[in-house]
Amino acid sequence: MDINGKGDSVDELKGLRITNLDDDDDENIAVDEDDNGEDEDDDDEEEQESVILGFVEKPEHSWSLLRQQFPSKAGGVPAWLDPDNLPTRMSCVCDVCGEPLQFLLQVYAPLVEKDSTFHRTLFVFMCLSMKCLLRDQHEQWKRHPDKQSRSVKVFRCQLPRANSFYSSKPPEGNATDKPLTSGAPLCNWCGTWKGDKFCSSCKVARYCSQKHQVMHWRAGHKLECQQLSLSPQSSDSNACHGGVAQIKAPKVASKSLWPEYEMKNEHESEYDTEMSGDEEHTDNSLIPRNKVDDTMKSLMDTFEGDGDKKSWASFQERIGKAPEQVLRYCRSAGSKPLWPILGGRPSKADIPICSYCGGHLCFEFQNVTFLLGISTLAQRRKYLIHVQMC
């Protein structure tokens, strides 16, 4: 597995156009890819939908990304909505290589019309290997394969207003907000998955997998392990006092997590008017504009036919209104993803039904760029993840 993405050629990246269509078990529904054979009128309909754009920025306060604030965020570690019932076993790993998935982003998207979805968050995870992503895409071209292999997975968690984890009152939006419970202990290496395995020596450090235990040992735990075993302490740093959990940001040993950002929302309609210049919304860009332009020109040369070029031009024009957007959210009936090219879109028959109720899945959001833009894995190219939920 290529953890750092080194060795992923430009040709491989050009071959990766879409990502994920899934109907996994465990509360997780990974979905995406393209939309095959849709009429051009459908694109016009999508243009009329009210789309909410997500932009990332460094948080002003460390507490603003803790789970009791119900954040939308990218990078770092997930702020699990339900801190006890986390995905486990095969749900946590890439179905292709078997390595633990890395957290990409989460979107707080409550559905207030139902009490059971008063709180609702969608979590997106992906494998770091481009080979696995390409394999995932290849699997999606098969019509309902017997065994689906996913390298991108989406988990949904929802809670009623009255629950055992949070107060039914709205958060104050400051450091005084506390959850009611501390939650399950997490892996000391990745800070993402449940730490249900102990270090056999110190009995303090926890891990989600043997691989992460080995990586932590090599990264320095070997030296601190003896000290920890001589000074016993609770492995749960989130102690509970007076019925209120004292939650702190988790300390994570891994240095390979993506930088952490807070996600801010704005309506796309605010960008419909032409900007007077490029001075707006450029200072905070995560991807240098000149590098994006050079990359897009090289990709244009690989497209075949006027249809793909027209679709790509339309995609670029739409994204260009707010080039720093990393998320497009729209759960309205009939809403559709914004497709960069015509080829490869799934037909309606390609999209699986809900494994719980048997209903049709609807588009909810798409990640329109490999938002962190700092990994050679993505070569700073546009990378799409389309999510459809029941």
Side-chain angles (χ1 to χ4, degrees):
M1 173 177 165
D2 188 2
I3 291 292
N4 296 316
K6 296 178 181 178
D8 291 324
S9 68
V10 174
D11 290 338
E12 284 181 318
L13 290 162
K14 289 178 179 177
L16 182 65
R17 293 179 296 183
I18 324 125
T19 44
N20 221 17
L21 246 186
D22 195 15
D23 189 14
D24 237 359
D25 54 3
D26 259 286
E27 246 187 348
N28 100 13
I29 306 174
V31 204
D32 77 300
E33 290 271 38
D34 330 340
D35 205 343
N36 204 320
E38 300 288 334
D39 295 331
E40 290 188 9
D41 294 340
D42 291 339
D43 295 330
D44 294 334
E45 290 177 10
E46 198 272 341
E47 299 246 1
Q48 305 304 316
E49 299 291 347
S50 176
V51 178
I52 296 176
L53 305 180
F55 300 86
V56 292
E57 60 184 44
K58 283 293 185 181
E60 293 184 19
H61 309 284
S62 59
W63 50 260
S64 65
L65 297 183
L66 297 178
R67 60 183 175 87
Q68 60 266 29
Q69 301 296 339
F70 310 108
S72 290
K73 64 187 291 285
V77 298
W80 292 110
L81 182 62
D82 182 338
D84 287 338
N85 303 299
L86 307 185
T88 56
R89 298 185 179 89
M90 296 305 295
S91 296
C92 308
V93 301
C94 172
D95 294 338
V96 179
C97 67
E99 300 292 348
L101 297 172
Q102 183 154 310
F103 173 69
L104 179 62
L105 61 86
Q106 68 184 72
V107 180
Y108 182 65
L111 303 178
V112 295
E113 60 269 21
K114 293 183 180 179
D115 180 64
S116 61
T117 56
F118 184 85
H119 294 298
R120 179 173 176 269
T121 301
L122 307 176
F123 301 86
V124 182
F125 297 82
M126 67 181 294
C127 182
L128 295 177
S129 170
M130 181 58 69
K131 293 180 180 178
C132 293
L133 297 174
L134 289 167
R135 170 73 177 275
D136 186 331
Q137 175 184 296
H138 176 72
E139 288 291 323
Q140 291 177 49
W141 301 139
K142 301 178 182 178
R143 180 69 63 84
H144 306 303
D146 295 334
K147 184 179 183 300
Q148 296 178 332
S149 298
R150 293 292 171 259
S151 59
V152 178
K153 296 184 181 181
V154 179
F155 299 88
R156 176 187 62 209
C157 181
Q158 50 200 42
L159 297 171
R161 182 166 189 169
N163 61 80
S164 58
F165 306 115
Y166 309 100
S167 169
S168 58
K169 297 179 181 179
E172 296 292 334
N174 55 46
T176 64
D177 293 315
K178 307 293 180 185
L180 302 180
T181 63
S182 57
L186 302 175
C187 175
N188 281 69
W189 177 255
C190 68
T192 298
W193 307 110
K194 185 178 291 187
D196 52 6
K197 298 175 178 62
F198 280 101
C199 171
S200 59
S201 180
C202 67
K203 302 295 192 297
V204 174
R206 290 175 173 265
Y207 304 101
C208 65
S209 64
Q210 183 178 3
K211 170 162 184 156
H212 283 185
Q213 181 178 3
V214 172
M215 294 176 75
H216 193 199
W217 183 263
R218 293 173 177 172
H221 182 64
K222 180 178 180 180
L223 299 177
E224 66 183 17
C225 186
Q226 185 176 5
Q227 182 179 358
L228 287 173
S229 60
L230 293 176
S231 55
Q233 63 185 64
S234 171
S235 60
D236 184 5
S237 60
N238 295 327
C240 193
H241 301 285
V244 177
Q246 306 300 309
I247 299 297
K248 301 177 183 178
K251 293 182 179 180
V252 180
S254 173
K255 303 300 181 185
S256 63
L257 300 182
W258 288 306
E260 189 172 50
Y261 294 95
E262 185 173 9
M263 196 177 300
K264 300 290 189 179
N265 299 329
E266 295 184 33
H267 286 277
E268 187 181 37
S269 58
E270 299 178 14
Y271 294 86
D272 284 342
T273 56
E274 291 292 332
M275 293 186 184
S276 57
D278 291 333
E279 67 276 8
E280 295 187 56
H281 300 281
T282 55
D283 294 339
N284 295 325
S285 178
L286 297 176
I287 306 176
R289 190 58 170 273
N290 62 328
K291 291 191 177 183
V292 172
D293 290 342
D294 292 342
T295 298
M296 296 311 126
K297 288 177 182 178
S298 67
L299 287 177
M300 281 286 285
D301 295 337
T302 69
F303 295 151
E304 298 179 0
D306 294 335
D308 277 347
K309 292 182 179 179
K310 180 179 179 182
S311 181
W312 180 255
S314 176
F315 175 83
Q316 284 295 96
E317 180 182 6
R318 187 82 176 269
I319 297 297
K321 295 179 180 179
E324 283 73 46
Q325 62 182 281
V326 299
L327 191 92
R328 299 176 62 82
Y329 184 94
C330 184
R331 194 182 160 84
S332 303
S335 60
K336 296 178 178 62
L338 182 62
W339 299 106
I341 58 176
L342 295 177
R345 301 186 186 187
S347 65
K348 292 181 180 179
D350 292 326
I351 300 175
I353 60 174
C354 175
S355 59
Y356 294 100
C357 70
H360 295 288
L361 302 182
C362 66
F363 169 75
E364 186 155 355
F365 72 87
Q366 68 184 116
N367 164 229
V368 295
T369 183
F370 193 80
L371 61 93
L372 302 172
I374 47 83
S375 174
T376 54
L377 168 91
Q379 299 290 313
R380 301 181 182 272
R381 296 178 187 275
K382 293 288 181 182
Y383 183 85
L384 304 182
I385 296 176
H386 303 153
V387 178
Q388 299 186 220
M389 307 295 286
C390 179

